[in-house]
Amino acid sequence: MPIASIINICLGLLLAPLLLGIINKTKAFFAGRTGQPLFQAYLDIIKQLRKGVVYSQTTSLIFRAGPVIGLASVLIALAIVPLGGVAAPLAFSGDLLIFAYILGLMRFFTVLAALDTGSSFEGMGASREVLFSALAEPALLIGLAAIARETHAMSLSQMLPAVSFLSPEVVLVTVALLIVYLCENARIPFDDPNTHLELTMIHEVMVLDHSGPDFAFILYGSALKLWVLGLVIIGIVFPASSGSFWFISVISAIGGLFFLAVIVGIIESTMARLRLIRIPQLLVAAGSLSLFAFILVLR
Amino acid sequence: MNSAIEIMMILLVLSDMALLGLSRLRTCISIVSFQGMLLGVLALTMQLSAITPRLILIAAASFIIKGFIFPFLLRRGIREAGAQYEIEPFVGYIMSVIAGLAMLGISFWLGAKLPLFAANTLLIPAALTTLFTGLFLIIARKNALNQCLGYIIMENGIYTFGIVSVAEIPLLVELGILLDVFVAVFVMGIAIYHINREFDHLDSDRLNILKG
């Protein structure tokens, strides 16, 4: 069903910024505020797209290429992840490695662009980002490997519909992936998306110098990343049976994503940001959960 | 029933990993207490079809002594010593967890080699992992309370190992081990008090100073 998979991609492109709105609404609810409008992320992106760009004289081509390559990478990732039991348009055997490393490419160019500005703050953020992603990567890859081994498939489009959530290994992987999800998207136990104190931020500090359409690309790219990684978790927790009607399974998967956004909002409202020293420990814990699941699957 | 045992074994291994990675002594004591209660329930679950008074005695002894009496003694030790954290362990917390994962792998390899019959393939690896975790904590931590915890965790491993062949192990042996550990924790509690009074901290490696 190629049309269905194209519709899935369009749904992702349209609905991804809504996840940010849901997270912010949940946080506002917990804080007893009205909060920003649900569609604020769309408005922000449109506003930034209409503005002009300011480039520092010290920056080079890399700084301009960073946001574009970042958005392009996450778009490729969007074409790899299946939604609602429908095979993704770019599905092939071994695409889970491409999926992990295309997101790595996105991060790599964000880091390069941050270093290119020559700002000491952005260099600090880049250093932290690289450290934490190096620790999150094993957790993600080993977790995906455990699921691949469990379902005897090497493509995300075959793995995710085949997995059954009821085995303990899969529960372990899901918890590990949830921790990776929060880390990769710079959400609260790792990074506070609201803070603008340079000393404590990680992701936000790297994009301080981007403006106008470049910044819109970055905002949209991070919303899509939230969507794409969320789809992997939702694919594991709510596996769509291939026999059922496509439309219903897509709706339930998107509902699951919105639910995941609410959970992220609840985590952000009830937890404080971890101290920087603590963050590697949590990521190593996620990695050990993944590895334990992998050993259990190998048995 | 088999899946219930499997979930318990996974919880046991996860609690081992948590013990390797956490520094707050109170949390560690709570986890060890949880392990003790888990093992008490496990003994009953294993032989659900043939529960004997002997089995109930073993399970109840584990549940009460490890779940409630040891934590009480250890918490009192903390209160008297005023020690909340392990300050500088010999092996750092992240390295400890990585070592724990290596021990987990070795346990699975060893468990596959051992010619033992177990109701569940996870039982022996989990028992070995718990045993190794206990040993590792005794070696890698300086704080006398943490070493005491390591001792209890090691006994938990032996106990799990014993459950595999519970029909063959005499009651007296099992109760003897439990009594040994009980006395050990009691004596360690007194030792901790004296180490603390003499040195103002619980680092057992400073005991070397006592050598003439």
Side-chain angles (χ1 to χ4, degrees), chain A residues 179 182-183 187-192 202 273-274 279 282-283:
Chain A
I179 297 175
L182 294 172
C183 175
R187 306 310 302 190
I188 254 183
F190 299 95
D191 186 11
D192 190 349
I202 302 164
R273 226 182 114 264
L274 287 175
I279 292 177
L282 186 57
L283 286 173

Side-chain angles (χ1 to χ4, degrees), chain A residues 156-226:
Chain A
L156 282 173
S157 296
Q158 293 164 10
M159 272 162 58
L160 295 184
V163 73
S164 84
F165 185 60
L166 288 175
S167 68
E169 297 91 352
V170 179
V171 177
L172 291 177
V173 171
T174 310
V175 175
L177 286 186
L178 188 65
I179 297 175
V180 171
Y181 184 67
L182 294 172
C183 175
E184 288 277 320
N185 290 303
R187 306 310 302 190
I188 254 183
F190 299 95
D191 186 11
D192 190 349
N194 288 328
T195 180
H196 280 85
L197 177 68
E198 291 90 338
L199 286 174
T200 57
M201 353 188 235
I202 302 164
H203 182 77
E204 298 292 314
V205 81
M206 290 199 302
V207 298
L208 272 180
D209 276 72
H210 292 280
S211 56
D214 279 355
F215 192 58
F217 284 0
I218 287 171
L219 279 179
Y220 191 46
S222 57
L224 280 175
K225 195 174 177 186
L226 205 62

Side-chain angles (χ1 to χ4, degrees), chain A residues 107-160:
Chain A
R107 180 167 45 236
F108 181 67
F109 270 91
T110 314
V111 165
L112 274 193
L115 289 174
D116 195 32
T117 60
S119 149
S120 52
F121 281 138
E122 300 204 17
M124 204 163 66
S127 143
R128 289 173 185 168
E129 173 92 357
V130 172
L131 169 65
F132 299 151
S133 63
L135 290 169
E137 196 175 284
L140 175 67
L141 273 180
I142 297 173
L144 287 180
I147 300 235
R149 168 88 192 182
E150 171 106 346
T151 56
H152 303 289
M154 281 297 283
S155 163
L156 282 173
S157 296
Q158 293 164 10
M159 272 162 58
L160 295 184

Side-chain angles (χ1 to χ4, degrees), chain B residues 24-35:
Chain B
R24 200 184 286 255
L25 286 173
R26 264 175 208 285
T27 321
C28 287
I29 291 174
S30 304
I31 294 174
V32 170
S33 142
F34 164 75
Q35 265 193 1

Side-chain angles (χ1 to χ4, degrees), chain A residues 168-169 172 278 280-281 284 288-289 291-292 295-296 299, chain B residues 6 10 13-14 21 23 94 97 101 104-105 108 121-122:
Chain A
E169 297 91 352
L172 291 177
R278 286 279 179 190
Q281 291 183 8
V284 167
S288 55
L289 283 180
L291 194 60
F292 183 31
I295 291 175
L296 282 177
R299 159 174 71 104
Chain B
E6 191 155 311
I10 288 173
V13 173
L14 286 181
S23 61
I94 292 179
V97 173
L101 288 173
L104 183 69
F108 268 91
T121 47
L122 260 183

Side-chain angles (χ1 to χ4, degrees), chain B:
Chain B
M1 191 193 83
N2 210 12
S3 64
I5 294 174
E6 191 155 311
I7 289 170
M8 282 187 206
M9 287 299 102
I10 288 173
L11 284 177
L12 183 65
V13 173
L14 286 181
S15 62
D16 288 340
M17 294 298 139
L19 283 165
L20 286 170
L22 292 173
S23 61
R24 200 184 286 255
L25 286 173
R26 264 175 208 285
T27 321
C28 287
I29 291 174
S30 304
I31 294 174
V32 170
S33 142
F34 164 75
Q35 265 193 1
M37 293 192 239
L38 188 75
L39 292 183
V41 177
L42 176 76
L44 289 181
T45 322
M46 284 290 292
Q47 313 278 332
L48 212 51
S49 49
I51 291 182
T52 54
R54 198 190 114 195
L55 197 69
I56 294 176
L57 188 65
I58 293 180
S62 163
F63 195 86
I64 293 167
I65 293 181
K66 288 184 202 151
F68 296 99
I69 297 180
F70 284 175
F72 168 73
L73 289 173
L74 291 168
R75 287 208 180 95
R76 201 181 58 180
I78 286 187
R79 207 169 45 242
E80 278 169 2
Q84 297 291 331
Y85 298 98
E86 168 90 42
I87 309 291
E88 262 187 0
F90 287 116
V91 184
Y93 293 102
I94 292 179
M95 278 315 289
S96 301
V97 173
I98 293 171
L101 288 173
M103 293 188 286
L104 183 69
I106 292 171
S107 306
F108 268 91
W109 176 77
L110 214 59
K113 293 260 168 193
L114 285 179
L116 283 174
F117 172 76
N120 191 298
T121 47
L122 260 183
L123 265 171
I124 290 173
L128 285 174
T129 309
T130 313
L131 197 82
F132 288 147
T133 304
L135 275 174
F136 186 84
L137 282 182
I138 294 175
I139 299 167
R141 300 286 189 262
K142 280 181 192 170
N143 192 306
L145 258 166
N146 240 331
Q147 291 172 345
C148 184
L149 280 179
Y151 190 63
I152 299 173
I153 296 162
M154 207 173 84
E155 205 280 333
N156 281 345
I158 298 171
Y159 177 88
T160 318
F161 219 91
I163 284 175
V164 176
S165 48
V166 73
E168 287 95 59
I169 292 186
L171 175 64
L172 267 179
V173 174
E174 182 58 46
L175 288 184
I177 294 175
L178 208 56
L179 189 70
D180 272 357
V181 178
F182 181 71
V183 172
V185 170
F186 208 77
V187 171
M188 276 181 194
I190 297 166
I192 284 169
Y193 177 68
H194 283 287
I195 296 174
N196 184 48
R197 212 176 52 176
E198 209 63 34
F199 295 100
D200 287 333
H201 57 69
L202 287 181
D203 287 1
S204 54
D205 61 325
R206 303 275 188 94
L207 288 179
N208 284 339
I209 299 169
L210 291 181
K211 278 193 297 195

